[in-house]
């Protein structure tokens, strides 16, 4: 399992990089829309942790 922890406490989990990035982008679009445009895919990949 892979995950990204958002600074607000939300945790996006998925089996693949693409899945967890999709989850965190969905979260960011509703809860942090200003960040969505400034965070690149490469940034998100660097935030992925193994669970």
């Amino acid at each position: 399992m892979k995950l990204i922890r958002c600074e607000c406490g939300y945790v996006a989990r998925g089996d693949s990089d693409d899945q967890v990035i999709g989850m965190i982008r969905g979260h960011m679009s509703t809860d942090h829309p200003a960040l969505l445009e400034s965070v690149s895919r490469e940034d998100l990949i660097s935030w992925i942790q193994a669970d």
Side-chain angles (χ1 to χ4, degrees):
M1 183 70 60
K2 297 182 178 204
L3 61 87
I4 296 176
R5 295 180 198 276
C6 183
E7 60 187 19
C8 74
Y10 175 83
V11 179
R13 286 183 164 79
D15 293 323
S16 67
D17 289 357
D18 288 337
Q19 191 175 27
V20 75
I21 287 171
M23 298 278 299
I24 199 68
R25 282 193 184 272
H27 166 70
M28 290 170 71
S29 71
T30 59
D31 290 42
H32 313 289
L35 278 178
L36 187 60
E37 295 179 16
S38 65
V39 177
S40 71
R41 177 176 172 78
E42 290 75 27
D43 291 330
L44 295 173
I45 288 173
S46 73
W47 298 350
I48 295 175
Q49 302 173 341
D51 184 28

